Amino acid sequence: MKILTMGVEEEFVLVDRATRAPVNRAPEVIRRAGRELGPQLQTEFFNAQVEICTQATASRRDLRDELSRLRAAVGAAARDVHCVPIASGTPVLPPGEPLTVTDTERYRLMARHFASLVTRPDGVARDDGLVCGCHVHVGTLDRGRALALAQHMRPWLPVLQALAANSPYARGHDTGYQSRRAVEHARWPTVGPTPVLDEPRYLAHVARLVEDGTLLDDRMVYWHARPSEHVPTLEIRVADTNADLDTVVLLAILVRGLAATLLARVDADVPPPPVPGPTLLRAHRLAALQGITGNGLDPVDGRERPAAELLDDLFALARPGLDFAGDTDWAWEQWERIRADGGGAARQRAVFHRHRRFGAVVDALAAATTGS
């Protein structure tokens, strides 16, 4: 077995320090923090968002340290323009001003091509499109191997989605979901489970989607697990962004541990488990609705079972990869903490129930995101 490298991309909402509402200040934040972070700080679709990207690393500790450093630098730059980054899958409060699309050629083209997803009939940007995810990369993998690994991992991705659920509130109301982001993001084409495709069929399939206008380019393949087109990795795209840093690191090492374990099956030409598409979609819907607090679908037989038990099963499956990287004890401690205290969605709701103010939820998220 080989220790795979991993990397994390985190998207944050920028909110005004006084109103706690999303604001279009990403250009100023990036201009300031970009001097230190360079390409590790990037734009997102809306000017009320920024994204940080770690370097690839084999070390859990190095990953955590880098995420902490990147978050702190973004937080310092944001304070200079009277805002703060928060890590939540959806903004807790509605925007304080009409959202604006980031001024790049690609984002302008996306806004025109997918106008119904981006703007209301009156021409103002839809604020339900402002969502923030956390994406985990594992590598190094060529495209064919990444696709094969995605087929083996996809039954377990709803379990990881449930673990990372962190968007119960959106635009000033309780959505009833643990991860509302998953629902709102799913309006975009190709968001969903990875199709069962080998490399030649993948290339042909994506080419057809681009040719018929479903996608602008291959970078718009938004499957829950996809081969990255800019780095040699498999990218897992099911998680909400989380303010709790250890939750993010836990997600990354679970993805890596599961990938390392399942690669042995890929390399032995073991066929992936035949999970029907409708079953996978239902599993993801349950994960979005109930997170780790309710039931999920068993990846093997499709029965409803407590989501916490499914996390235990995922740990058991990923154990060889976790053991090999020296991550098992730390990962289990974090899972026991989350099991006892609740995940991101539960923490947001606990703050609201304590203070009865959405502003308090934003404040708690801001403090946890940047450690200030």
Side-chain angles (χ1 to χ4, degrees):
M1 185 175 290
K2 177 183 178 183
I3 296 181
L4 300 171
T5 58
M6 56 187 169
V8 170
E9 299 168 352
E10 291 189 291
E11 300 164 353
F12 303 126
V13 180
L14 297 173
V15 302
D16 184 84
R17 293 177 68 182
T19 67
R20 283 87 163 179
V23 286
N24 298 302
R25 296 180 194 161
E28 295 95 328
V29 171
I30 291 173
R31 192 156 44 243
R32 284 166 171 79
R35 301 165 191 157
E36 175 185 350
L37 302 184
Q40 288 188 272
L41 177 61
Q42 298 184 5
T43 59
E44 260 302 318
F45 188 77
F46 288 111
N47 280 315
Q49 297 170 281
V50 295
E51 179 183 65
I52 59 172
C53 309
T54 71
Q55 302 286 347
T57 180
S59 165
R60 177 187 81 239
R61 294 176 183 84
D62 288 351
L63 178 67
R64 192 185 191 285
D65 288 346
E66 186 170 16
L67 285 168
S68 180
R69 177 181 65 84
L70 294 172
R71 287 179 173 208
V74 173
R79 282 193 295 274
D80 288 344
V81 290
H82 308 291
C83 65
V84 64
I86 66 165
S88 178
T90 50
V92 176
L93 290 169
E97 58 197 24
L99 296 175
T100 57
V101 175
T102 299
D103 190 20
T104 68
E105 182 179 358
R106 186 167 187 271
Y107 285 144
R108 290 195 301 270
L109 183 58
M110 286 175 64
R112 290 196 300 270
H113 193 80
F114 301 99
S116 64
L117 301 179
V118 177
T119 56
R120 303 189 316 230
D122 60 4
V124 176
R126 294 175 52 152
D127 55 19
D128 58 359
L130 179 57
V131 295
C132 292
C134 174
H135 308 151
V136 178
H137 290 256
V138 288
T140 302
L141 301 167
D142 61 37
R143 186 189 289 118
R145 207 158 171 243
L147 282 166
L149 178 59
Q151 311 312 321
H152 283 267
M153 290 189 69
R154 69 183 198 144
W156 293 96
L157 297 186
V159 184
L160 292 169
Q161 177 184 336
L163 173 66
N166 184 43
S167 47
Y169 300 124
R171 299 172 301 283
H173 69 275
D174 192 322
T175 68
Y177 283 82
Q178 305 292 307
S179 173
R180 183 64 189 181
R181 179 203 66 89
V183 178
E184 297 185 355
H185 186 49
R187 294 185 292 110
W188 285 86
T190 74
V191 173
T194 309
V196 179
L197 299 169
D198 59 17
E199 185 171 7
R201 289 191 298 157
Y202 162 82
L203 293 171
H205 179 67
V206 172
R208 283 194 298 272
L209 292 175
V210 174
E211 184 179 357
D212 66 19
T214 301
L215 305 179
L216 291 183
D217 51 40
D218 56 13
R219 292 166 59 195
M220 276 197 70
V221 173
Y222 293 149
W223 298 332
H224 293 329
R226 71 176 186 184
S228 173
E229 292 299 330
H230 68 281
V231 287
T233 65
L234 176 67
E235 181 183 3
I236 305 301
R237 301 172 50 85
V238 294
D240 291 354
T241 187
N242 269 257
D244 178 62
L245 193 54
D246 287 328
T247 297
V248 179
V249 178
L250 175 61
L251 175 71
I253 63 174
L254 282 177
V255 168
R256 179 175 66 172
L258 189 62
T261 301
L262 294 177
L263 269 176
R265 302 183 185 183
V266 170
D267 295 339
D269 291 326
V270 175
V275 183
T279 301
L280 271 179
L281 287 171
R282 182 165 176 253
H284 281 289
R285 284 195 295 269
L286 274 175
L289 183 62
Q290 301 186 25
I292 59 171
T293 64
N295 287 339
L297 293 190
D298 189 297
V300 177
D301 59 23
R303 291 183 300 114
E304 280 201 29
R305 291 177 52 207
E309 289 183 8
L310 298 179
L311 255 298
D312 289 340
D313 290 352
L314 188 151
F315 263 88
L317 177 60
R319 182 68 183 266
L322 292 169
D323 283 349
F324 195 74
D327 290 333
T328 304
D329 290 345
W330 186 89
W332 188 256
E333 287 176 9
Q334 296 306 317
W335 166 225
E336 288 291 277
R337 173 181 65 87
I338 293 170
R339 191 204 302 263
D341 299 340
R347 284 191 291 272
Q348 288 196 40
R349 286 194 168 109
V351 172
F352 182 80
H353 291 157
R354 191 158 58 244
H355 297 280
R356 312 307 300 181
R357 290 186 297 108
F358 285 118
V361 178
V362 177
D363 291 344
L365 287 167
T369 300
T370 62
S372 62

